[in-house]
Amino acid sequence: MRQTTPGERTEEKQVESAREREPEGLGDTGCQGEHTEQERVTVEDTESDKQVERKTQTENIQLSVMKRRRDEDEQEHLCCCEYVNRHGKRSHVAACCCDCEDLDDACDRFFKREPQNPESLSHVAADISDRFRIPWLRGGARRVDLSVIPPLVLLPTLLHLAAFHFLVGVAVLITLPVLVLWYYYFTHRKKARTLFFLSLALFSLAYMYYLFVSKVVPRGGIGPVQVAVVTTGVLLTLLSLAHTKRGPGVVKPNQEIDPVLQEQVEWAQEADLSRKNWCSVCQVVRPPRAGHCRICGVCVLRLDHHCVWIDNCVGRANHRSFLLTLVLFLSTSLYGISLVLRSVCPEQNVLTALFYCPGVYEEYSAALCFTCAWYCTAVTCGLLHLLLTQLLNISYNVTEREARAAVRERSGRRALCGLVVETGVYSRGLRANWVEFLTMADQETHVAIQGAQATSDA
C-alpha cells in the first residue's frame, strides 16, 4: 500500500474542512435569503401603507375642497334673510321659532316638573345661538354672537340708574366691576372665547363719546378744539385697535414635510430638550419664547398674553400696536374726564371735583355725566396698571407668560415691589431691551427674507 505524503495529507484535510463548512455556509445563505425576503416584504408593506395614507389624505383634501365649494355656491344663491343652519339645511330668519323640538321638550318637562335633559338644554342653546342672525346682502344672513348683546343693554341701563342718587351710583359702580370679573373668571376657567369684553370696550368708548357730544358739549365751556382733540383720540384708538386685531404672529406648520425632516421631527419629540418646544396640538416645533394659546388654539410667536379686551393674543406682530392702543386710549380718557369734570363742576379743581361736587345730583343730565366720569376713571385706573406692567416687562425683556411661569416654577425674582418678575434670561440692559422690542417685527421680516433666500439658493 502506498503511503500518503505530508502534502497530500494537508490537501485532504483542506478538502474535508471545506466539506464540513459547505453545509453551514449554505445554511447561512438560506437564512440570509429568508431575512432579506422578510425585509423586502416589510418595506413593501410600509410603502403600500404610505401610499394608502397619501391616497386617503388626498381624498380628504378633495372632499373638503368640494364641500367648501358647495357651501360657497349655496351661499351665493342665498337671499339676504336665508342661511344654512348647523344641520346643513337651508333656513330663514323669519322661521326662528319653528321646528323647536328641543325647546318644546324642555318646556314640557318644566310644566310637568320633570328633571331637564342636559343634552336637550345644550341643543336649545345651540339652536338659539345659530338662529340669532341679521340679514346680510351677500352670502345670506350672518350669525351674531350672543355675548355681544349684554354690554349693549347693561351699560346704559346701569349708568342711567346710577344717576338717580349718590348711593345708587356707588352700588352700581361696585356691582359692575364685580360682574365683569365674575364673567372673566367664568370664561377663563373654561378657556372659552367670548366677544363680551371686546363688545364692552367698544361700546363703552362709543357711548362715552356719544354722551360727551350730546350732554357735555351743549353745557358750554368746551370749544371746537377740545371736541376735535377728543374725536381725533377716539379715531386713532380705533385705528390702532384695528391694527392690533390683525394678528399676533402665528407659528405656521409646514404643509409638505420632507421624509428626512419628518424623521428629525419625530426624533425631536422623543428628546427631552425638544419635547418642551414641541406642540402636540399644532404639530409644530415652537421657536424660543413662542407659546400655545388654549383660547385661540394656535402657537404665537413671542406670546405675551391673551387679552380678552381685544379678543386676541398679544405677540410679536401686534405687541407694539397693543401698547400704542393703551397709550392713545388712556390719553383720550384722561383728557375727556378732565373736560367733563370742568363742565359739571366748574368751581372745583379736577381732582377735587371727582370726589366732591356739590349739587351735581340736582340735575339728571349733570348726574349722568358725573357718573360716566367715575366709570371712565375706574376703567382708566385698570388700564393704567396694565400699561405700567407692560412698560416694566419690556424694560426687563420679559413677557407676561414668562413672568407667570417664573413665579409658578420659582425661578424668577420679584423687583420693584412685586410689579415685575426678573428672570434674567433675555435681559440685556434697559436700552437694548427697548431697541429689541421696537425692532422685533423688523427682525422677523429680515429673518423670513433670509430664510426664503436660503431656500431658493438650495
Side-chain angles (χ1 to χ4, degrees):
M1 180 180 294
R2 187 177 68 87
Q3 295 181 355
T4 58
T5 62
E8 291 177 350
R9 285 196 300 267
T10 303
E11 292 178 359
E12 290 177 0
K13 289 180 180 180
Q14 292 177 355
V15 172
E16 289 177 359
S17 62
R19 289 177 180 177
E20 290 177 357
R21 290 195 303 268
E22 185 177 358
E24 296 177 359
L26 292 174
D28 294 339
T29 305
C31 293
Q32 292 177 358
E34 292 177 0
H35 288 303
T36 306
E37 183 66 22
Q38 292 178 358
E39 292 176 356
R40 186 179 61 81
V41 173
T42 304
V43 171
E44 290 179 354
D45 294 339
T46 305
E47 292 179 354
S48 61
D49 294 340
K50 290 182 179 180
Q51 291 178 358
V52 172
E53 185 177 357
R54 294 194 195 97
K55 185 177 180 181
T56 305
Q57 292 178 354
T58 304
E59 292 177 354
N60 293 333
I61 294 173
Q62 291 177 353
L63 290 175
S64 62
V65 171
M66 292 174 61
K67 183 179 179 181
R68 185 173 66 252
R69 290 178 179 176
R70 184 173 65 252
D71 294 340
E72 292 176 354
D73 293 339
E74 290 179 356
Q75 290 180 0
E76 290 179 356
H77 295 87
L78 293 175
C79 72
C80 62
C81 297
E82 290 183 334
Y83 64 94
V84 179
N85 60 19
R86 64 188 187 94
H87 301 290
K89 299 180 181 179
R90 295 177 65 137
S91 185
H92 198 276
V93 175
C96 59
C97 298
C98 301
D99 298 331
C100 300
E101 297 179 358
D102 296 318
L103 181 60
D104 295 338
D105 179 67
C107 293
D108 291 339
R109 290 177 178 271
F110 175 77
F111 288 115
K112 293 179 181 179
R113 297 182 179 180
E114 296 178 356
Q116 295 289 340
N117 187 6
E119 295 182 357
S120 179
L121 294 178
S122 62
H123 291 164
V124 171
D127 287 337
I128 293 176
S129 177
D130 184 52
R131 297 183 183 188
F132 193 80
R133 296 174 179 264
I134 57 174
W136 204 256
L137 296 178
R138 184 178 180 182
R142 296 293 181 88
R143 189 172 69 88
V144 179
D145 198 323
L146 294 178
S147 61
V148 305
I149 305 300
L152 306 182
V153 179
L154 290 178
L155 184 62
T157 303
L158 292 178
L159 290 179
H160 280 79
L161 182 64
F164 283 103
H165 195 271
F166 171 74
L167 295 178
V168 179
V170 172
V172 168
L173 292 176
I174 293 176
T175 305
L176 187 59
V178 171
L179 291 176
V180 173
L181 288 175
W182 171 81
Y183 188 73
Y184 169 75
Y185 285 110
F186 175 76
T187 55
H188 185 72
R189 186 174 65 251
K190 291 187 175 181
K191 301 299 178 183
R193 195 165 188 173
T194 176
L195 294 177
F196 174 84
F197 301 98
L198 178 61
S199 174
L200 179 60
L202 292 176
F203 185 66
S204 297
L205 184 63
Y207 191 64
M208 294 302 106
Y209 180 75
Y210 164 75
L211 291 178
F212 175 78
V213 175
S214 62
K215 301 292 184 182
V216 180
V217 175
R219 297 179 62 88
I222 298 177
V225 178
Q226 287 84 353
V227 176
V229 171
V230 174
T231 304
T232 304
V234 172
L235 294 177
L236 290 177
T237 302
L238 294 176
L239 290 175
S240 181
L241 178 61
H243 188 273
T244 306
K245 288 283 294 177
R246 293 176 61 182
V250 179
V251 182
K252 297 181 180 180
N254 295 327
Q255 300 296 332
E256 296 181 359
I257 302 179
D258 186 74
V260 178
L261 181 59
Q262 180 67 29
E263 294 179 0
Q264 294 177 358
V265 171
E266 293 176 355
W267 175 82
Q269 297 177 31
E270 299 176 356
D272 294 336
L273 184 60
S274 299
R275 187 181 301 173
K276 185 178 180 180
N277 296 329
W278 171 256
C279 180
S280 59
V281 179
C282 301
Q283 297 294 311
V284 294
V285 178
R286 293 190 295 258
R289 311 192 76 176
H292 181 81
C293 178
R294 288 181 289 179
I295 300 177
C296 297
V298 294
C299 288
V300 180
L301 294 169
R302 199 183 181 275
L303 175 62
D304 188 82
H305 70 286
H306 179 89
C307 183
V308 295
W309 297 106
I310 64 174
D311 189 37
N312 205 346
C313 287
V314 178
R316 174 179 291 180
N318 64 347
H319 201 167
R320 293 183 300 182
S321 60
F322 175 74
L323 193 67
L324 179 61
T325 304
L326 289 178
V327 172
L328 290 173
F329 178 82
L330 290 173
S331 302
T332 306
S333 178
L334 291 174
Y335 185 68
I337 291 172
S338 64
L339 292 178
V340 171
L341 292 177
R342 289 175 183 173
S343 176
V344 175
C345 300
E347 299 179 356
Q348 301 287 338
N349 189 15
V350 174
L351 294 179
T352 307
L354 187 62
F355 298 96
Y356 179 72
C357 187
V360 70
Y361 283 93
E362 295 178 358
E363 184 184 355
Y364 183 78
S365 176
L368 179 61
C369 296
F370 183 74
T371 304
C372 292
W374 257 106
Y375 172 74
C376 293
T377 302
V379 174
T380 302
C381 290
L383 292 181
L384 274 175
H385 179 268
L386 176 59
L387 178 62
L388 179 61
T389 304
Q390 287 290 312
L391 294 177
L392 292 176
N393 287 342
I394 296 170
S395 300
Y396 282 85
N397 201 353
V398 60
T399 63
E400 186 67 22
R401 173 175 172 269
E402 293 169 351
R404 293 175 183 175
V407 172
R408 184 172 59 253
E409 299 172 359
R410 297 181 180 179
S411 59
R413 183 180 65 87
R414 290 187 176 274
L416 300 178
C417 300
L419 294 176
V420 65
V421 178
E422 184 179 3
T423 60
V425 179
Y426 299 101
S427 181
R428 298 182 299 171
L430 179 62
R431 183 176 179 276
N433 292 339
W434 274 98
V435 170
E436 178 183 346
F437 173 77
L438 295 174
T439 60
M440 58 184 178
D442 300 333
Q443 291 175 0
E444 178 186 3
T445 306
H446 181 66
V447 170
I449 293 174
Q450 285 184 345
Q453 291 178 352
T455 305
S456 61
D457 294 339

